[in-house]
Amino acid sequence: MLALQKCIPGQGADLINLAFVDVPAADEIIVSVEACGICGSDLHAWSGDSAYDFMRLYLPLTLGHEFAGTVLAIGADAAAGPDALRPGDNIVCLPTVTCGDCVACHEGHYSACANRRVIGLHRDGGFAAKVRIPAANALRLPAGLAHDIAALAEPLAVSINAVNTSGLVSSEGNERGRRRVLVLGPGPIGFGIALVAASRGADVMLAGFRDGPRLTLARELGIARTVDLADETLTDAVARHFGQGPDIVLEATGRPSSVAEGLAILRSEGVLVVVGIHDAPLTLDINQLVRGKKQMRGSHDSTRACFQEAVARLAAEPDRYGRMITHRLPLERASEGFALARDRSALKVMLHPAS
């Protein structure tokens, strides 16, 4: 079986042939991986960034956590119950594995699990024809939803969770009126954030840097306000589009300077949500936070509820969200896909291992 593995620390990953044991553990299922997206986390892992040094303990490891596929086999415990998965079911993977034993898990706050592990970062993931995952980490797909569209559920769920973290539910009944939302970074997460925030009634502006094709696609998908910061400063763009500082800034660039810029442009008592993973430290004028009575929040990962909302959105508008997939390649061309993702020639690269 061909798999894309991170074998040693540092830069790179390798396509290798692996033996695969077709017997799931009692609580596991085996999945034929039909589509797996290349995520920003995969790029960080490929590059060996310091923020992913934790992976050293788990190498060699098959990458990939944004995947959907078909159930091939089910462990004895996982097969019990009327709602249990069955061979032939189509599923999307919820990649975060929780321990069930820590205080957060006992309180039902699984996203705060102290011992969380991620499929594709701590244990073998979806850049392979087959993968074993806990049955609890599979969400059954509605009939007719294509695997490649379904594989967008993970980044879209991350986007939904980020919007939830900002406190934006709906602009209806809001004492300040329609919320002004600035999204920094037109990658897949930023795209998802912009689309979700707009659907909740916000006035959204999506900002990029030398991201003309991505911003054009954003406008085609309904995000009317876009700005390329290669052509205009963020201050000028915000003044032109909003007339005043945004109520909410969501940073999805992974550039530390964007966090400082987002905090500076945010209105008094506004909310900044940091979503991007950064591989360098940040110097921040904390007085802007204190004197501006601003809030700064971190958002990472997602929840089952966010996944369910993501799948529902994808099923309702598959053609719209599907346009985020700019390249579809077989697993054999993974190196090409990673190159496209690294130089931002692609928005979302989808690899197809089983085919």
Side-chain angles (χ1 to χ4, degrees), residues 40-130:
S41 295
D42 298 317
L43 298 181
H44 285 295
W46 189 95
S47 298
D49 291 348
S50 58
Y52 286 77
D53 279 347
F54 67 86
M55 292 182 65
R56 292 171 177 263
L57 297 175
Y58 306 98
L59 303 180
L61 179 142
T62 302
L63 301 175
H65 61 274
E66 297 182 358
F67 63 89
T70 303
V71 177
L72 296 176
I74 304 172
D77 293 346
D83 295 326
L85 292 165
R86 297 289 182 260
D89 282 347
N90 294 314
I91 64 96
V92 65
C93 175
L94 286 64
T96 300
V97 181
T98 56
C99 71
D101 292 326
C102 68
V103 172
C105 285
H106 282 299
E107 292 176 346
H109 196 194
Y110 298 105
S111 61
C113 173
N115 306 301
R116 60 193 293 276
R117 296 290 183 265
V118 179
I119 295 166
L121 294 176
H122 297 91
R123 57 180 285 170
D124 286 338
F127 287 139
K130 290 184 282 189

Side-chain angles (χ1 to χ4, degrees), residues 209-329:
F209 184 79
R210 294 177 180 166
D211 282 306
R214 291 183 173 189
L215 296 175
T216 297
L217 178 59
R219 291 191 295 273
E220 292 173 357
L221 294 181
I223 306 302
R225 299 183 189 271
T226 66
V227 60
D228 195 322
L229 298 178
D231 304 323
E232 185 176 10
T233 68
L234 183 61
T235 300
D236 289 345
V238 166
R240 179 167 60 85
H241 282 296
F242 291 144
Q244 56 186 306
D247 302 293
I248 297 169
V249 176
L250 295 112
E251 181 276 326
T253 68
R255 293 174 56 249
S257 60
S258 291
V259 178
E261 292 163 2
L263 182 64
I265 206 71
L266 185 67
R267 69 154 175 86
S268 179
E269 299 184 349
V271 176
L272 167 65
V273 180
V274 181
V275 190
I277 297 295
H278 303 79
D279 61 358
L282 167 67
T283 299
L284 195 65
D285 181 0
I286 204 67
N287 288 326
Q288 290 183 341
L289 185 76
V290 176
R291 290 172 175 161
K293 299 172 286 293
K294 303 176 184 182
Q295 297 183 47
M296 185 172 175
R297 305 172 183 173
S299 180
H300 184 59
D301 206 342
S302 60
T303 65
R304 180 171 286 269
C306 291
F307 258 91
Q308 290 168 335
E309 180 179 339
V311 169
R313 286 177 177 271
L314 294 170
E317 298 184 281
D319 293 338
R320 185 185 192 201
Y321 286 99
R323 292 190 63 188
M324 293 171 61
I325 305 173
T326 53
H327 296 76
R328 294 172 170 87
L329 299 170

Side-chain angles (χ1 to χ4, degrees), residues 6-60:
K6 182 82 175 178
C7 297
I8 59 174
Q11 191 174 77
D14 300 298
L15 281 171
I16 61 175
N17 283 305
L18 287 180
F20 185 83
V21 179
D22 284 303
V23 180
D27 64 343
E28 290 182 335
I29 60 173
I30 294 177
V31 179
S32 170
V33 182
E34 303 298 332
C36 187
I38 296 177
C39 174
S41 295
D42 298 317
L43 298 181
H44 285 295
W46 189 95
S47 298
D49 291 348
S50 58
Y52 286 77
D53 279 347
F54 67 86
M55 292 182 65
R56 292 171 177 263
L57 297 175
Y58 306 98
L59 303 180

